Amino acid sequence: MANIPASSGARSSLHGQWSSRLAFILAVTGSAVGLGNIWKFPYVAGANGGSAFVLVYLGCILVVGLPVMMSEILIGRRGRRNPVETMTLVAQEEGSSKRWGLVGALGVAAGVLILSYYSVIAGWSLDFIIESLTGSFQGKSKEEVGAVIEGLNASWQRSMLWHSIFMGLSVFVVARGVEKGLESAVRFMVPGLLILLLVLLVFAMTTGAFMQGLEFLFTPDFSALTGQSVLIALGQAFFSLSIGMGAIMAYGAYLPQETSIPNASITVVLADTFIALLSAMIIFPIVFANGLNPEAGPDLVFRTLPLAFGQMPGGIVFSTLFFVLLSFAALTSAIGLMEPAVAWTVERFGLTRRAAAIMIGMVIWFVGIGTALSTNLMSEFRILGLDWFSAVDYLTSNIMLPLGGVLITVFAGWFMTRKSTSSELGGDSGIVTAWRFLARYVAPIGVLLVLANSTGLLALITGD
Ligand code: PHE
């Protein structure tokens, strides 16, 4: 890359800028709010005992998620390039090694891997639009409703079809560029999703098991907590906030200089957490009222919500709308997952945005075949005891994102001067001091302890 201006304040991005502060918040919220909140959070909370998991999750969001998100945005805005180039550039400006660029590369790889399976699950949501429209859930028993997702999973042709359609849509939106593609989609998606979730919440209150659901989620029972589940809660916090892989860094690159990073981060974190909790508060009452299993796994949401829609007046309309919006939520997250890889290919190889999007999309589509087939043709296939989907999910959410996050905060907290970071965070203040303490000590040490504990490394070191 030629001609890098010396003063980062004057630098502008090659991909344009957000039209306003709201546009940035919308885009980051669009990236954060997705299948992670509605599909993943409830099933991992259910599989890990509920309440204690939820508490650990909230702790992770606060002491790790928030400082990592702020670090990512501030580095992104300073570098104003794709995550690889940004890390290299900012590291050099701060007098550190260009090898920091590898952190960006780790993120590019994580994005590609995550989207490979994310697209398959988003495909389930697309399929459920059609199922909703044709009334597949109306007045059906839990067995009949469950059979719909089972049927989809059993068919490799249908799984591949929807995976392909979703990847096609993602490529289309990313190819259109930052402003046109990203902004407009989020503007109606988040509010729409919120309204439908509130409708579902009212339904959940009428199931007769609302309190039981709340108890499951909010009365802590620490006996259910293991080292593994703490790691999964941490991984879920990274996944849900879209942090640790450069997605938010890439978005930060398009952020106007005057926007407050702490305010934007807090807004996004609150919105994301609210939607995840809301979703769980809807799903567990339905689980308990119908004698379903809270540990059903990845298809939990696709068994519970359709059952609810099938029992409520206007179910066809609500159900169709819901899966349309969920698919949109997945799409706005998919854009964030692709952006680091696409921006990198554009800047590194001088491809057009369109060519880069198509090329990266094809790679992701290909890797995703493993997940599309993991419930049918490849259901016997195991890597370290996990099926393809679970292995890719574990590697990315629980290892790559936390590791990327530690490196990002360590870089911002230790390798950037206080002057640089505080100027990005809006001047020296209590917020900067709090951020620095979390970014330098609490977040990295916390994440490394959890990682070491769950990989058995800690036991090895302490000799327990
Ligand atoms: N946060 C998104 C979700 O909850 C997933 C995602 C992860 C998006 C990482 C971008 C980057 O669905």
Side-chain angles (χ1 to χ4, degrees), residues 193-211 213-214 217-218 274-286 305 308-309 312 318 322:
L193 207 52
L194 259 173
I195 293 171
L196 276 178
L197 286 173
L198 291 176
V199 170
L200 279 165
L201 187 70
V202 172
F203 175 84
M205 289 173 178
T206 67
T207 55
F210 190 60
M211 289 321 288
L214 291 194
L217 287 169
F218 300 113
F274 182 71
I275 293 183
L277 289 177
L278 199 57
S279 165
M281 285 163 61
I282 292 164
I283 284 161
F284 288 105
I286 301 172
L305 295 188
F309 288 126
M312 64 172 73
F318 284 134
F322 178 82

Side-chain angles (χ1 to χ4, degrees), residues 67-268:
V68 173
M69 177 169 287
M70 288 166 64
S71 309
E72 268 201 44
I73 304 177
L74 80 84
I75 298 170
R77 184 164 71 186
R78 225 170 160 76
R80 291 223 188 272
R81 295 283 182 275
N82 71 77
V84 182
E85 213 61 57
T86 288
M87 285 302 295
T88 311
L89 195 61
V90 178
Q92 282 179 316
E93 279 177 4
E94 299 284 335
S96 297
S97 159
K98 343 189 260 208
R99 293 240 173 77
W100 280 105
L102 289 174
V103 177
L106 180 74
V108 168
V112 166
L113 288 174
I114 294 176
L115 186 51
S116 81
Y117 73 76
Y118 201 86
S119 164
V120 175
I121 314 292
W124 298 0
S125 176
L126 289 175
D127 180 80
F128 270 48
I129 298 176
I130 309 290
E131 301 286 357
S132 303
L133 267 176
T134 53
S136 302
F137 310 127
Q138 291 320 105
K140 295 288 164 65
S141 69
K142 65 177 178 192
E143 287 79 16
E144 290 166 319
V145 169
V148 177
I149 187 70
E150 283 161 21
L152 172 58
N153 280 336
S155 158
W156 68 266
Q157 293 94 333
R158 276 171 71 195
S159 303
M160 279 301 297
L161 175 73
W162 291 115
H163 166 52
S164 309
I165 293 177
F166 186 80
M167 276 317 298
L169 289 173
S170 307
V171 168
F172 177 76
V173 181
V174 171
R176 291 179 62 201
V178 183
E179 301 231 337
K180 275 178 274 165
L182 308 191
E183 274 187 48
S184 43
V186 195
R187 264 177 204 274
F188 69 95
M189 187 275 290
V190 175
L193 207 52
L194 259 173
I195 293 171
L196 276 178
L197 286 173
L198 291 176
V199 170
L200 279 165
L201 187 70
V202 172
F203 175 84
M205 289 173 178
T206 67
T207 55
F210 190 60
M211 289 321 288
Q212 200 185 341
L214 291 194
E215 220 165 278
F216 178 74
L217 287 169
F218 300 113
T219 320
D221 165 18
F222 287 99
S223 66
L225 216 56
T226 62
Q228 264 311 310
S229 54
V230 174
L231 177 66
I232 295 172
L234 180 76
Q236 173 62 19
F238 275 87
F239 184 88
S240 190
L241 294 177
S242 307
I243 53 177
M245 57 146 287
I248 303 291
M249 197 184 284
Y251 283 10
Y254 317 134
L255 183 64
Q257 201 60 36
E258 55 290 351
T259 305
S260 157
I261 293 177
N263 286 350
S265 308
I266 290 170
T267 312
V268 172

